[in-house]
Amino acid sequence: QGLAGFGGLLLIIVGSFWVAMTQVDWLYDQAAARGFDTQAVRSLRQKGDMSGLLAEYARQGKVKPGRLAARVANWRVRGGLALLWKDLILQARSSMWSYAVFLPISIFMVAMPVWAVGKLDRASTAMYFLMQGFTVFMIAMQANSGVIEMLRRVDVQKPLPFTPAATVFWEIAAKALPPALISWIAGLCALAINPGLADAFLAAAVMAPSMSFLLVAVVYLMTVLFPDVDDPTQRGFRSLMLLLGIFLLSVPSVAMFLGLTVVGIPLVTGPVAPIAAALPFVLLNALLTFAVAAVTGLLYANFNPSE
């Protein structure tokens, strides 16, 4: 059977190579015809500008208008929520498919360890929190294209009656909602598999939004600090600084949560419940998020795309 399978694969390889060689005469013509059309797409993909990439596909007639974006566009909001509404429209038009891909992946990562272990213990609960954190991190990194879009619209948004800090905060809020929502859905699936996970689910549900806000805030800060998306060297350096910033700003709250749930409060009590440890976790992340958003707002106020 092994030899038969090897022979079948070899025939497929030979046949595929023969079919490809019959199309060699057309290869140059096709490459020349498509090279000009794909140059803009390739450049946007290298920059990580997914919003611009979707806009380019729309100009080429490859993207159809979605119903969700049309429904969101019919909402009427005022004040700072208008910035949130605007960004939700852009996400519904540009990022919905990526969120649709991340949703089953997140459910698999969060629910699979719970299903595989069966009986919950400290190790499986720790794995649940780890997977929830990785889910939020994975989706929050998609906020990069939103920052690029915000910097591209700087001449339009700055005249609006909002302070730069308020503009940045509502932009961060809009990008932080999808990671928290997907984390909740994945947690509900894990809870349905094992209802004994209720305490950990509640704690993770409370912690996920604060962690999402903090991660997205760091993404905005690093992108405004290093906004040159055309320079590959700066893009690479920004990625390194982004990872460093995430590590430095997430360690305090994560260390506090681990200390409270594993060690507890010395001389007062032993390890506390996850939901009780989640409250100081959220408070510390909220303080860090507001601080990062304020600094980003100051940088955004002085940002000039021509410089």
Side-chain angles (χ1 to χ4, degrees):
Q1 292 177 353
L3 291 176
F6 175 78
L9 290 175
L10 187 61
L11 289 176
I12 293 174
I13 293 172
V14 173
S16 301
F17 186 75
W18 176 79
V19 172
M21 292 301 294
T22 60
Q23 305 299 316
V24 168
D25 295 338
W26 299 95
L27 180 61
Y28 181 81
D29 294 337
Q30 291 295 322
R34 297 185 59 187
F36 181 78
D37 295 335
T38 59
Q39 182 177 2
V41 174
R42 187 183 303 111
S43 176
L44 291 170
R45 187 178 290 113
Q46 290 175 348
K47 297 175 184 177
D49 187 1
M50 299 308 297
S51 299
L53 184 62
L54 265 295
E56 181 64 27
Y57 283 148
R59 282 189 287 268
Q60 297 178 7
K62 298 180 180 180
V63 177
K64 296 181 179 180
R67 297 180 180 179
L68 179 60
R71 292 178 180 177
V72 176
N74 291 328
W75 296 353
R76 293 294 179 266
V77 293
R78 295 179 180 274
L81 290 176
L83 296 176
L84 180 66
W85 165 80
K86 175 266 303 177
D87 203 85
L88 290 177
I89 294 177
L90 294 177
Q91 291 190 63
R93 291 175 176 173
S94 62
S95 304
M96 193 54 60
W97 283 110
S98 63
Y99 293 146
V101 171
F102 279 121
L103 178 59
I105 296 176
S106 302
I107 293 174
F108 177 81
M109 291 194 308
V110 174
M112 181 56 67
V114 178
W115 176 79
V117 172
K119 185 178 180 180
L120 292 176
D121 54 11
R122 293 179 64 89
S124 58
T125 304
M127 180 61 67
Y128 172 79
F129 281 111
L130 179 62
M131 290 296 100
Q132 283 282 38
F134 184 74
T135 295
V136 174
F137 168 80
M138 178 176 61
I139 305 172
M141 292 301 100
Q142 305 304 309
N144 178 63
S145 64
V147 194
I148 298 174
E149 190 69 18
M150 182 186 74
L151 297 179
R152 184 183 293 120
R153 299 190 311 270
V154 62
D155 294 335
V156 178
Q157 290 199 170
K158 276 191 175 181
L160 295 177
F162 303 106
T163 63
T167 300
V168 170
F169 174 79
W170 287 109
E171 291 276 349
I172 292 173
K175 290 298 187 298
L177 290 178
L181 181 60
I182 293 177
S183 172
W184 289 343
I185 296 175
L188 285 173
C189 294
L191 183 63
I193 294 175
N194 195 327
L197 198 67
D199 292 342
F201 166 76
L202 291 175
V206 172
M207 295 160 60
S210 67
M211 180 57 72
S212 179
F213 268 81
L214 180 60
L215 294 178
V216 174
V218 177
V219 173
Y220 270 71
L221 173 61
M222 292 304 168
T223 308
V224 176
L225 274 175
F226 308 102
D228 191 358
V229 296
D230 296 323
D231 185 5
T233 302
Q234 189 170 127
R235 290 201 303 266
F237 182 72
R238 182 176 65 243
S239 299
L240 294 176
M241 295 302 296
L242 175 61
L243 293 177
L244 179 62
I246 289 174
F247 174 77
L248 293 177
L249 292 175
S250 62
V251 161
S253 57
V254 173
M256 177 187 295
F257 179 79
L258 291 177
L260 291 175
T261 54
V262 176
V263 179
I265 305 175
L267 305 178
V268 178
T269 181
V272 300
I275 186 61
L279 299 179
F281 177 93
V282 172
L283 179 60
L284 180 56
N285 278 346
L287 294 175
L288 292 174
T289 300
F290 279 112
V292 173
V295 174
T296 307
L298 293 176
L299 296 173
Y300 179 67
N302 298 320
F303 176 75
N304 188 349
S306 62
E307 295 181 355

